[in-house]
Amino acid sequence: MNWIRNAMQRRRIEKAVAEDIEAHLEEKIADLVESGVPDREARLTARREFGNVLLVAETSREVWGGPGWSGSPRTCGTAPARAHAGADLRVLWRARARAHLHRTLRQHGLRRRAPVPKRLVFASPWEPCKPIVVRMVLRESLTVAALGLVIGIPLTLALSRLTATFLFGVKPNDPLVLAAAILTMFAVCALAGYLPARHAARVDPMIALRYE
Amino acid sequence: MMILQTLRQGPRHGYALAQDIKRTSHDLLQIEEGSLYPALQRMLKAAWVDAEWGVSARNRKVRVYRITPAGRQQLEREVSSFERMLAGIARVMRTAES
């Protein structure tokens, strides 16, 4: 249960830091606007004087644990060894997510041979780009799934005589069962693709590049 | 040290803190305001300050930081070591001049 608590605490800190920075910028913008600076310029000035928002947020969060949020020994509670193993896994997971993001960005760029990666990486804000990354990764994993089906279906049909002897009440080549199996597999593949993709998309490219 | 010192005059939110430091140093210290936040998080972790949500003068939801007794102790320690360092530098400079 420790990792759930850690994850929740991490979310809370991330949210608090983000809201804190947001409030800071808004206050500053309001101050500048009041002193007669045009709105757009006020926004730019506030951002410039603040520094790199993403970097600040990431460093603030890292204070509470490494990039993978290892948690302090105090919060590890009664099972420090297990908690640390979990922390290591999460570090790996994040590193993988970063590597994956970087790779997909690069592949995406190579495929188009245009300044796409630049646009992707330096687009501000990063939010609108996230679905692109998620879709890219999802497409990849579903392609693999489809390939598996192309191979799998004829194989299933061929072997159905054999499986019929194992299963009770299932006709060989029952279309309903077959369809259900295919659907389940697709759902699992989609989920298996979507979750890491979402994780990868959550990592900001600027931060991902900083870790390279 | 400057953050703790500023907070000793009363609880403040991040932006007010940055403004106060800038004002009292008469713009001599050009620090990126953002660097305040990792520092504040470190202080939160060390329990030198605590934070709670409040509202700013503009009625915006902000996080208000307050110095804790542990923070006051830390501030005293830091100020005394800083003063020792300053005295050391001053002595070296005087010796070098003469």
Side-chain angles (χ1 to χ4, degrees):
Chain A
M1 291 313 265
N2 267 323
W3 71 271
I4 296 181
R5 211 174 53 215
N6 275 356
M8 275 167 66
Q9 196 188 354
R10 172 177 156 184
R11 289 265 163 154
R12 210 168 48 234
I13 289 168
E14 265 176 20
K15 197 167 163 259
V17 167
E19 282 179 16
D20 210 4
I21 292 172
E22 180 78 34
H24 180 121
L25 287 172
E26 291 289 324
E27 288 274 314
K28 192 172 175 86
I29 291 164
D31 247 10
L32 287 168
V33 169
E34 260 172 38
S35 65
V37 181
D39 188 72
R40 200 182 137 68
E41 202 174 310
R43 272 169 203 286
L44 287 173
T45 310
R47 289 222 160 225
R48 193 176 55 241
E49 286 184 12
F50 189 85
N52 186 335
V53 175
L54 295 167
L55 204 65
V56 167
E58 178 83 353
T59 355
S60 301
R61 193 185 58 65
E62 272 177 9
V63 167
W64 298 87
W69 182 254
S70 50
S72 70
R74 208 181 30 201
T75 55
C76 287
T78 50
R82 223 180 52 199
H84 274 297
D88 289 344
L89 267 180
R90 275 190 289 285
V91 170
L92 255 176
W93 174 251
R94 274 183 89 91
R96 253 198 52 193
R98 287 194 183 101
H100 194 89
L101 168 71
H102 197 66
R103 209 170 49 232
T104 37
L105 279 176
R106 213 167 44 205
Q107 279 172 357
H108 195 65
L110 283 178
R111 248 180 245 147
R112 307 228 169 150
R113 264 186 270 115
V116 173
K118 235 180 197 165
R119 204 189 67 213
L120 264 180
V121 171
F122 296 110
S124 171
W126 164 233
E127 290 298 319
C129 297
K130 282 182 182 178
I132 301 175
V133 173
V134 173
R135 232 177 294 142
M136 258 155 42
V137 180
L138 211 57
R139 204 187 304 138
E140 270 171 39
S141 65
L142 287 183
T143 314
V144 176
L147 212 74
L149 281 180
V150 170
I151 303 168
I153 290 175
L155 216 67
T156 314
L157 292 177
L159 290 176
S160 56
R161 297 257 161 243
L162 189 74
T163 47
T165 54
F166 298 146
L167 301 169
F168 176 75
V170 179
K171 281 182 291 189
N173 304 338
D174 188 335
L176 210 71
V177 172
L178 216 61
I182 290 170
L183 226 69
T184 316
M185 282 314 294
F186 246 112
V188 170
C189 283
L191 207 68
Y194 175 69
L195 290 181
R198 203 187 56 168
H199 207 99
R202 268 228 318 263
V203 180
D204 194 274
M206 289 315 276
I207 292 158
L209 289 171
R210 199 159 60 87
Y211 274 87
E212 285 296 315
Chain B
M1 187 171 74
M2 286 188 298
I3 294 174
L4 286 174
Q5 178 66 34
T6 312
L7 282 178
R8 203 168 69 166
Q9 295 154 21
R12 275 166 177 73
H13 57 86
Y15 176 60
L17 199 55
Q19 289 299 95
D20 278 357
I21 292 176
K22 204 186 245 176
R23 198 166 40 237
T24 45
S25 74
H26 296 285
D27 291 316
L28 275 175
L29 297 170
Q30 288 284 340
I31 45 162
E32 277 189 350
E33 289 166 20
S35 56
L36 198 63
Y37 288 89
L40 279 170
Q41 293 298 317
R42 273 195 293 279
M43 289 178 193
L44 274 176
K45 197 181 178 192
W48 295 341
V49 299
D50 55 25
E52 54 187 46
W53 292 103
V55 280
S56 72
R58 284 205 186 76
N59 232 356
R60 191 170 282 120
K61 189 181 160 204
V62 286
R63 218 163 173 220
V64 178
Y65 296 89
R66 190 191 311 271
I67 192 166
T68 62
R72 283 173 200 277
Q73 276 175 17
Q74 175 64 23
L75 178 62
E76 275 166 30
R77 273 199 298 275
E78 279 184 28
V79 167
S80 75
S81 80
F82 178 69
E83 279 170 352
R84 268 206 306 279
M85 189 184 78
L86 262 188
I89 293 174
R91 214 167 297 145
V92 169
M93 293 306 285
R94 267 201 303 275
T95 330
E97 265 172 24
S98 60

